[in-house]
Amino acid sequence: MMHASLYRPGNSVLHRLPAGLKLSVLLAAGGCSILVRTPTQTTTALGCVLLGYVVARVPARAVLQSLRPLLWVILALGLFQALIMGWPRAFVIVGVIVALVLLANLVTLTTRTNDLVDVVVRLSRRVRLLGMRPESIGLMLSLAIRAVPLVAELAARVREAQQARGHTISPRAFAVPLILGALRRADEIGDALAARGYDD
């Protein structure tokens, strides 16, 4: 079953901004992230993104939920960078990643999926010259956005099943059923798309 998008209805300034503008800011932030080199700059970037959540009236719980899937990756990366390059550099690298993830999540929380897809479809009109259909690109983006809550729900089910059986939660025991479940769901979606003529 297809899940709803991450969009949270609202009437804030960020909700009312055009989807194209928000995507442009996200792309610009990603490009400028290589210029962030100090902990002060990193803290400023994180502060600006968190201020966006305040303006959009998004609860703190949504912020934590967006970072939960990356928690172990962020911790492992931070520890590795701290051992190799020191804590200041580790803070910069991890902080930039967290800021970009939070910013991308903020865009999806304040923008309807259909609006995001429409912008991408309009921008990709020229790929028709390469034999690709903009509508197919829009469909892939829509599926990618909608897959986020789907995978999060699947991860919660795996975690609950392990706890119900009294199993000790380990990265391997958690990752294997999660990956298998995600692949199974991907096959189901692929079959549904093929049945509707999107098998190409």
Side-chain angles (χ1 to χ4, degrees):
M1 180 179 66
M2 190 65 69
H3 290 247
S5 68
L6 296 177
Y7 175 71
R8 297 176 67 94
N11 194 36
S12 70
V13 175
L14 291 181
H15 282 85
R16 296 195 298 269
L17 288 177
L21 176 60
K22 285 184 274 191
L23 281 177
S24 298
V25 171
L26 179 59
L27 291 174
C32 294
S33 63
I34 60 175
L35 303 177
V36 179
R37 301 183 181 277
T38 67
T40 300
Q41 293 173 336
T42 306
T43 302
T44 302
L46 286 169
C48 291
V49 175
L50 292 176
L51 180 60
Y53 279 84
V54 175
V55 173
R57 302 184 185 91
V58 176
R61 182 178 60 182
V63 180
L64 297 177
Q65 287 177 342
S66 65
L67 292 177
R68 186 177 300 171
L70 298 176
L71 180 60
W72 293 110
V73 175
I74 291 174
L75 291 177
L77 177 62
L79 180 59
F80 175 78
Q81 292 295 333
L83 294 175
I84 300 299
M85 306 182 69
W87 286 107
R89 185 57 183 167
F91 178 78
V92 170
I93 294 175
V94 173
V96 168
I97 294 175
V98 170
L100 290 176
V101 169
L102 289 177
L103 182 58
N105 188 62
L106 181 60
V107 170
T108 58
L109 287 172
T110 59
T111 313
R112 290 183 175 85
T113 301
N114 290 339
D115 294 338
L116 291 173
V117 173
D118 288 343
V119 171
V120 174
V121 170
R122 287 198 302 271
L123 294 176
S124 57
R125 297 289 186 192
R126 296 181 180 178
V127 299
R128 289 186 186 277
L129 300 177
L130 302 177
M132 299 178 62
R133 294 184 298 175
E135 294 78 10
S136 297
I137 296 177
L139 176 62
M140 288 188 292
L141 175 63
S142 178
L143 290 175
I145 294 174
R146 294 174 187 272
V148 174
L150 187 151
V151 174
E153 179 183 339
L154 182 60
R157 289 181 180 178
V158 171
R159 195 158 40 237
E160 291 173 358
Q162 290 179 332
Q163 292 175 347
R165 294 181 177 88
H167 294 170
T168 301
I169 299 179
S170 66
R172 181 177 180 180
F174 175 75
V176 171
L178 176 61
I179 293 174
L180 291 177
L183 292 175
R184 189 180 306 113
R185 188 61 59 87
D187 285 338
E188 294 173 358
I189 295 175
D191 291 340
L193 291 174
R196 290 167 174 78
Y198 286 98
D199 55 316
D200 58 343

